[in-house]
Amino acid sequence: MIESPLLIVAPPGAHASRLAAMLGQHSQSQDLPELSLFMAKTVGGLGEISALSDGTTTHGLRRAIAAVHFGSQQDAAIADAERWLARRSDWQGSMVLSEFVQRLAPKTLVSADTALGWRPDFLDRLLDELPDVRLLHLIEHPRRWCRETATALEGRLFVAPDYKDYAVAPPAVDPQLAWLRVHSNIADVGQWLPDAQYRLLNVEALLARPDATLAELCQWLGWSAAESEINAMQRPEFSAFAGLGPSSALYGADESFLADPGFVRRLRSTDSLQGALEWRPEVAGFAPEVLSLAERYRYR
C-alpha cells in the first residue's frame, strides 16, 4: 500500500524543516527538502519563478531529485536533476510529487512546505491535483515567531512585501501580517479536511514534551510509536538533507535548520499576546485579527 504524502505547512522559520527531518528518521518514512512544487502550474513555470528571484526556489527540488533518482547530492547529480526537470517542464507539481511517492514506497514521503500558505491558489492547486495529501499545520506563538523573523530580516537590502505594513509611510517591516496571512490561508483549507488528513501542531508542544507529541503524531499517521522510533526522530541531524548542499544547490530548507540541524529538548519562555511589539515599539500591540486567530489556537 502506498501512503499519501505528508506536507508540513507553516511560514518560513517556524521549524517545519526540522520537524520534517525528525519525522523522516522514523523507519516508516523518508524526508525530502522543500520542493515548492505548487507555486506554479508546471515545472517549467516554477523554474521561471526561481530564475526571476534569487534562484534558490528550486534548490530543494534539485537536491531531492539528485538524491532519489541519481544517488548523490554532488554537483554532477544536481546537473542531472536539472536535465531531468527540463525534460518534464510541462509536468504538474503533483506529477513530480507522485513520482517521489512511488520511488520511496513503502515509506511515507515527508516534506516541509513554507510556500503553500502564502497564496490560497497554491493550496487549491495542491488539493485539486492531490486530494488525498495530508497536511500537518505547524503554528508558533505570534510574538516569538515575529520577533525571530524581524531579527532575521534586519539589515537585508531586500525584504519581501509580504512582511511590510504599507499603511504607514515609509512601509514598516511587521511580520505579524505574514503570520496572519499564512496561518489564515492554511486554516481556511484545514477546516474542510477530515481529521485523518489535517492536523494542527503547536511548536511549543513539540519543544516542551517531544516524546508525547511525537508519539501522538505517530498514532495519527498510523506509524509505530516504539521507544526506539521516538528516540530516532529526535535526531534530525541524521537526515541526508540536514546541512548545506553543493554549490549549485545550497539550500532547500530553513537556513536556521541547515546551520544547526539538531533538536534540543527545552522549555521556551512564555510569551504574551499583550503589550507593545518589540520590532515596532511605536505600535501598542497586535492587530485585532492576529489576536483573534492566536486566541483561537489557545495562545494568551
Side-chain angles (χ1 to χ4, degrees):
M1 178 179 177
I2 297 179
E3 295 288 341
S4 300
L6 172 67
L7 298 184
I8 302 172
V9 286
H15 301 279
S17 295
R18 194 179 313 278
L19 180 56
M22 292 174 73
L23 296 180
Q25 301 317 299
H26 194 286
S27 63
Q28 292 174 246
S29 70
Q30 173 61 58
D31 64 296
L32 294 180
E34 287 207 46
L35 306 175
S36 305
L37 284 166
F38 298 92
M39 295 174 66
K41 294 180 180 179
T42 65
V43 166
L46 180 62
E48 292 174 6
I49 290 173
S50 184
L52 290 171
S53 59
D54 58 4
T56 63
T57 304
T58 60
H59 278 198
L61 177 59
R62 286 183 280 153
R63 288 181 68 179
I65 293 170
V68 173
H69 289 274
F70 301 105
S72 167
Q73 290 187 61
Q74 300 304 310
D75 284 315
I78 298 295
D80 288 335
E82 291 170 353
R83 289 187 284 270
W84 189 96
L85 285 169
R87 293 192 297 271
R88 295 161 177 80
S89 62
D90 61 337
W91 276 27
Q92 295 176 321
S94 59
M95 298 169 70
V96 178
L97 193 60
S98 295
E99 178 84 3
F100 280 128
V101 169
Q102 294 282 345
R103 291 291 293 258
L104 297 176
K107 292 190 174 185
T108 299
L109 183 159
V110 179
S111 177
D113 197 316
T114 61
L116 273 171
W118 288 109
R119 307 284 187 273
D121 57 303
F122 295 172
L123 287 158
D124 289 343
R125 184 177 295 130
L126 167 68
L127 291 170
D128 286 345
E129 296 179 16
L130 284 175
D132 62 343
V133 69
R134 288 176 288 186
L135 300 179
L136 179 56
H137 180 183
L138 190 62
I139 193 166
E140 184 173 14
H141 194 290
R143 185 173 297 277
R144 182 179 302 114
W145 183 84
C146 290
R147 183 173 60 240
E148 294 177 357
T149 299
T151 299
L153 294 174
E154 285 180 0
R156 292 197 180 183
L157 295 176
F158 173 76
V159 175
D162 301 292
Y163 293 98
K164 291 183 178 180
D165 180 3
Y166 285 88
V168 297
V173 172
D174 195 344
Q176 68 168 313
L177 306 174
W179 185 94
L180 176 65
R181 178 178 186 170
V182 171
H183 289 302
S184 293
N185 287 338
I186 298 170
D188 286 347
V189 165
Q191 68 178 326
W192 302 108
L193 296 176
D195 291 343
Q197 197 173 349
Y198 170 85
R199 187 180 182 93
L200 180 78
L201 175 64
N202 293 68
V203 168
E204 293 81 7
L206 177 65
L207 296 173
R209 46 186 192 90
D211 290 36
T213 301
L214 291 170
E216 290 167 4
L217 287 178
C218 287
Q219 183 178 16
W220 175 61
L221 292 163
W223 298 351
S224 166
E227 182 178 359
S228 59
E229 300 281 15
I230 302 300
N231 290 338
M233 286 192 288
Q234 294 179 60
R235 301 300 300 273
E237 65 271 21
F238 288 168
S239 167
F241 306 100
L244 294 172
S247 59
S248 53
L250 278 171
Y251 303 109
D254 184 80
E255 290 184 32
S256 63
F257 168 69
L258 294 175
D260 182 13
F263 176 75
V264 179
R265 294 169 179 257
R266 61 190 185 277
L267 289 171
R268 309 190 93 186
S269 59
T270 301
D271 284 286
S272 172
L273 293 175
Q274 308 306 314
L277 308 180
E278 298 94 312
W279 54 96
R280 288 187 70 184
E282 77 279 6
V283 177
F286 286 108
E289 299 87 348
V290 173
L291 291 173
S292 177
L293 185 61
E295 289 168 354
R296 173 177 164 187
Y297 293 127
R298 299 183 180 180
Y299 289 121
R300 298 290 181 264

